[in-house]
Amino acid sequence: MTRGCFIALEGGDGTGKSTQARLLAEALRQKGIEVVVTREPGGTPGAEAIRELLFDPPGEIWGAEAEALLFAAARSDHVANRILPALEGGEWVVTDRFVDSSRAYQGAARWLGDAVIKQLHEIGSGGLRPDLVILIELDENTIAQRPAERDDGSSDAIGRRDDEYHREVARAFRSYAEADPEGYAIIDGTGTSQEVHQRVIGAVKPLLER
Ligand code: TYD
């Protein structure tokens, strides 16, 4: 059985990752590939329960360390019970966020550092890396404006952190992509969802030809 490909969509809040994950999965299925679409934090009953712990309490209740541990615990369950079984069964997995979100939001923007997040990921999830990370970027001003625009009660405590926090998240994502051009595709998130989807398809092509 050939192991499936593992693709993570990453980027700031409100960059359109969920829509792109769905469109990518539909396009892959049309090519006859079996695809699991999932998200973080979440994707399993255990990880969805941790998601509620992270986001349901009102306001900011978690310190940086507890927050990073909760995300790592959710990921550990997601990897063990959903991602690895699918990949090993030959299915492709498309996830809306993975460990780079913890590196950017907790490691970089909450100052825990990259080494700590990588260590937690090693313990929790054996250091699993996607075959490809698709980083969807919107310019800094748009990213900074998004959480405020979406502040209609739908954005969570992390989404509501200030503009500088979200700029730091965006800078961190870009630095990971620039350090590993093979492992990442940087996608311009402007335009219609179909326009962005065509860019995503272009980035995934090498995996289809493998
Ligand atoms: P998500 O549901 O993807 O929301 P959005 O559509 O706003 O991107 O993610 C929820 C929030 O959780 C988002 O603000 C990013 C944050 N997050 C982290 O801080 N660390 C992580 O490891 C993950 C997976 C998400």
Side-chain angles (χ1 to χ4, degrees), residues 142-158:
T142 314
I143 290 207
Q145 283 161 15
R146 286 285 165 116
E149 274 173 17
R150 299 200 317 167
D151 212 357
D152 51 3
S154 68
S155 89
D156 52 71
I158 296 177

Side-chain angles (χ1 to χ4, degrees), residues 13-14 17 40-41 51 55 71 75 97 101-102 105-106 150 156 158-159:
D13 290 51
K17 295 177 304 303
E40 290 205 348
R51 183 184 179 96
F55 299 136
F71 279 113
R75 185 163 302 118
R97 297 192 181 280
S101 283
S102 286
Y105 285 81
Q106 283 69 52
R150 299 200 317 167
D156 52 71
I158 296 177

Side-chain angles (χ1 to χ4, degrees), residues 3 6 40 72 75-77 79-80 83-84 87 98-100 103 114-131 133 180 184:
R3 190 182 161 105
F6 180 27
E40 290 205 348
R75 185 163 302 118
S76 177
D77 191 61
V79 166
I83 296 176
L84 284 182
L87 294 175
F98 194 61
V99 66
D100 287 347
R103 295 172 70 199
D114 208 34
V116 166
I117 303 300
K118 284 182 171 165
Q119 208 179 347
L120 291 179
H121 188 53
E122 200 59 48
I123 295 166
S125 303
L128 179 70
R129 286 291 313 171
D131 296 296
V133 177
D180 178 11
Y184 290 77

Side-chain angles (χ1 to χ4, degrees), residues 15-205:
T15 46
K17 295 177 304 303
S18 313
T19 305
Q20 292 306 321
R22 187 173 45 77
L23 293 175
L24 173 59
E26 281 167 14
L28 292 172
R29 286 185 188 124
Q30 277 173 10
K31 293 184 192 298
I33 296 170
E34 285 188 53
V35 190
V36 167
V37 190
T38 186
R39 67 163 182 183
E40 290 205 348
T44 59
E48 292 289 339
I50 294 174
R51 183 184 179 96
E52 285 182 25
L53 286 177
L54 276 158
F55 299 136
D56 278 4
E60 292 270 4
I61 66 161
W62 301 110
E65 292 82 2
E67 184 175 288
L69 285 161
L70 285 167
F71 279 113
R75 185 163 302 118
S76 177
D77 191 61
H78 188 211
V79 166
N81 294 316
R82 185 123 195 239
I83 296 176
L84 284 182
L87 294 175
E88 281 158 11
E91 290 177 288
W92 286 38
V93 174
V94 174
T95 184
D96 179 355
R97 297 192 181 280
F98 194 61
V99 66
D100 287 347
S101 283
S102 286
R103 295 172 70 199
Y105 285 81
Q106 283 69 52
R110 270 200 109 174
W111 311 112
L112 289 176
D114 208 34
V116 166
I117 303 300
K118 284 182 171 165
Q119 208 179 347
L120 291 179
H121 188 53
E122 200 59 48
I123 295 166
S125 303
L128 179 70
R129 286 291 313 171
D131 296 296
L132 179 68
V133 177
I134 295 174
L135 171 60
I136 302 188
E137 279 194 337
L138 282 172
D139 67 86
E140 273 204 19
N141 288 335
T142 314
I143 290 207
Q145 283 161 15
R146 286 285 165 116
E149 274 173 17
R150 299 200 317 167
D151 212 357
D152 51 3
S154 68
S155 89
D156 52 71
I158 296 177
R160 285 193 293 270
R161 287 177 188 161
D162 66 16
D163 292 355
E164 186 45 39
Y165 181 86
H166 290 283
R167 278 192 210 103
E168 184 54 38
V169 166
R171 279 195 289 268
F173 277 131
R174 173 152 277 257
S175 74
Y176 311 146
E178 284 177 349
D180 178 11
E182 297 263 294
Y184 290 77
I186 300 177
I187 299 292
D188 173 7
T190 56
T192 65
S193 54
Q194 275 305 327
E195 284 166 343
V196 179
H197 174 58
Q198 289 313 314
R199 295 177 199 130
V200 170
I201 288 294
V204 168
K205 234 179 175 175

